Amino acid sequence: MATLTAVPATKIPGGSFLIGERKPEEVFTPEDFTEQHLLIAQTAEEFANKEIVPNIEKMEHKEFAVHRELLRKAGELGLSGVDVPEAYGGMQMDKVTSAIIADRVAKYGGFSTTWGAHTCIGTLPIVYFGTEEQKKKYLPGLASGETVGAYALSESSSGSDALNCRTRAVLSPDGKHYILNGEKMWITNAGFADLFTVFAKVDGEKFTAFIVERGFPGFSVGAEEHKMGIRGSSTCPLILSDCKVPVENVLGEIGKGHHIAFNVLNVGRFKLGAACIGSARNSIETAIAYAKQRKAFGKVIADFGLIREKLANIAAGIFTGEAMGYRTVGMMDAAIAQLGAEHDDMASVRKVIDEYAVECSILKVWGSEFISQVTDEVVQIHGGYGFVEEYPAERNYRDVRVNRIFEGTNEINRLLITGFLLKRAISGQLPLMAAIKKLMDEVLSGTSEEVEEGPLVEERNLVGRAKKIGLFAAGIATQKHMQAIQEEQEIMGAIANMVIETYAMESAVLRAHKLIMRNGESASALAIAMARLYVQGAMEKIASAARMVIAACAEGDMLRSQLAILRRLCKYDPFNPVSLRRTIAQRVIETGKYQVA
Ligand SMILES: Cc1cc2nc3c(=O)[nH]c(=O)nc-3n(C[C@H](O)[C@H](O)[C@H](O)COP(=O)(O)OP(=O)(O)OC[C@H]3O[C@@H](n4cnc5c(N)ncnc54)[C@H](O)[C@@H]3O)c2cc1C
């Protein structure tokens, strides 16, 4: 495998961040990018600036030939085939590289969506589940961008509930074809794609994936949807009317389509998270440039504290988003490297990715909600000009909205996060129950383990407390509801929120800690300020979610004593957020962009 990185060296189990303490040297951060990573980042960035940005207007007007041309050019640069094995014309890079490309290409939502659908959900089903013949036949075209891919799971009556699809497949009397009937909805790239992974139920029961070429008899594409955002992308229904699909185009096993449907979404989710961070980096540049030239009350608006506050929050979010995103793909790469001789076996690789399903959902939810806040604030910084089409702030605000809907809605992903963790806890894969018991004992005896030395002591202690608060609330909720907790969605959602924020704050602190170890404390002042600002905000959210869970699970004296314990866990001396934000804002305004130092 043309892997680029071997950092960190240890395999870390998915979801284990909740129960163990990680060391900075165990996590991968953007500061660990190799020369090759940086080169690819530069190539992707140049591609975006030179090829995507100048073509935005054309793409907004649905000139799909431009999308095709851009995918082909990206293919020539090796960007489209990043996850495709070399044997089939791809580059087979590590997952850090996949994330870097998704991040750097994200300059325009209309094309990022095309890109994501093609390189990820449109290509990976064949990479991970295709037969040798299917790979040889289809992957070289997909990797080069000559063939455009799409993924057709959703239907008008089943989106989140995708396994409940109505599309049917029956074997033809001569046994040579499956005959597909039904309609798919919301299919990205459908207007111009050549190849579709289509899900249907064989004999109305067995959920199965099929590789469907655009030219197959009985296949047609409906009209473009009129969308709120990502108007440059193509989204259409597919009509399958006695569509004849050769039996050799069954992908994976009959009745096992759900493995394909859900496995590739993990990659889709971490890439979507990376794209949201890339988009936030672009957004802050636009916002700073505007704020530095727009005058009000005799000053540029970049001089106002309330504008600076927004810029500082965005910068701290980018720092955190990068930290958690690259930490996750770094863990995947470390685990893939440990596969040894099997690291070329795509079935083993996808199992590794599946191990980090919780982290992938976290990146998707966190990234999509962060970029929604960012684009909202960027509109606000632009005032009235943010509300008109003349400035990109308006389009970006609309474009990012869909990120909370596709690749699994954020509600579904929240349920997945808590559900996966509980499943692992119950099966003993993750010793969560033991950790909850240890914490309960600690809480009842009034003792508390906290770190006392090294850099970022307070922040590291807050991360430790965040984990305890999450475990405490989850322990109370599971004791009360046992297995039936799955039915308590509001509690599942609140636990997911604590898990998400814990991962985010820990990643930010570990990254700042690693920077201090490398460059010293004063050279890392900006990173420390960003991590500290993020940690403080996250603690507030975690405390609020825990209060809600506890209040929903206990009453009377029990409630009062549990809330007293929670208050003890949540008690800390606050940092000065105004001063932190001023420090961060000063630097990003000076340089015109997000900075780490
Ligand atoms: C622009 C765009 C592009 C898309 N591209 C593709 C594509 O390429 N391929 C593809 O297959 N699909 C695609 N989709 C479809 C997308 O994946 C679905 O829209 C999404 O999964 C949600 O399904 P739905 O629209 O049916 O909403 P529903 O599932 O009806 O959900 C409606 C609301 O109910 C909530 N909800 C649903 N179930 C639950 C539950 N169990 N618990 C709590 N809340 C719940 C949802 O979170 C949501 O808020 C695309 C959608 C859009 C808008």
Side-chain angles (χ1 to χ4, degrees), residues 113 117 121-122 149-162 184-190 197 199 225 227-230 233-236 265 401-413 415 489:
T113 307
I121 54 180
Y151 171 90
L153 176 64
S154 305
E155 298 185 0
S156 58
S157 59
S158 57
S160 305
D161 187 15
K184 292 285 164 183
M185 196 165 174
W186 312 115
I187 308 311
T188 300
N189 292 352
T197 300
F199 294 85
E225 303 292 346
K227 306 188 293 268
M228 172 200 283
I230 54 163
S233 71
S234 166
T235 316
C236 314
L265 287 179
R401 183 61 185 84
V402 74
N403 292 326
R404 285 150 60 194
I405 298 172
F406 56 25
E407 303 281 354
T409 66
N410 284 12
E411 289 76 20
I412 294 294
N413 272 288
L415 296 174
Q489 286 202 346

Side-chain angles (χ1 to χ4, degrees), residues 202-379:
V202 173
D203 301 330
E205 283 175 7
K206 289 163 256 168
F207 191 73
T208 305
F210 298 86
I211 304 171
V212 178
E213 294 178 22
R214 194 181 191 93
F216 283 173
F219 177 92
S220 59
V221 175
E224 285 288 338
E225 303 292 346
H226 297 283
K227 306 188 293 268
M228 172 200 283
I230 54 163
R231 291 185 183 158
S233 71
S234 166
T235 316
C236 314
L238 305 183
I239 300 117
L240 302 147
S241 178
D242 287 333
C243 177
K244 279 177 82 175
V245 181
V247 284
E248 54 272 22
N249 277 29
V250 169
L251 186 59
E253 290 177 48
I254 302 276
K256 299 265 175 75
H258 54 290
H259 291 303
I260 303 177
F262 300 134
N263 200 280
V264 296
L265 287 179
N266 286 325
V267 181
R269 286 171 188 155
F270 84 65
K271 288 199 186 189
L272 190 143
C276 290
I277 305 307
S279 180
R281 228 183 281 108
N282 301 326
S283 294
I284 197 172
E285 284 183 31
T286 316
I288 297 169
Y290 184 81
K292 279 167 92 164
Q293 55 83 28
R294 173 70 181 175
K295 287 197 172 143
F297 300 94
K299 286 177 166 187
V300 290
I301 62 168
D303 285 344
F304 295 128
L306 288 177
I307 299 294
R308 290 183 164 232
E309 185 175 60
K310 296 180 197 306
L311 296 173
N313 288 342
I314 298 173
I318 298 171
F319 179 82
T320 305
E322 287 179 344
M324 59 207 284
Y326 289 104
R327 173 185 180 180
T328 305
V329 284
M331 289 193 292
M332 288 179 188
D333 285 335
I336 292 170
Q338 294 201 352
L339 289 172
E342 277 179 57
H343 71 196
D344 271 343
D345 169 26
M346 288 299 125
S348 305
V349 169
R350 77 178 150 76
K351 277 188 202 137
V352 165
I353 294 171
D354 205 31
E355 169 77 22
Y356 299 103
V358 168
E359 285 82 355
C360 290
S361 286
I362 290 176
L363 297 182
K364 192 275 174 182
V365 172
W366 190 94
S368 61
E369 293 179 2
F370 171 59
I371 192 62
S372 285
Q373 291 160 13
V374 169
T375 52
D376 184 82
E377 291 290 44
V378 174
V379 166

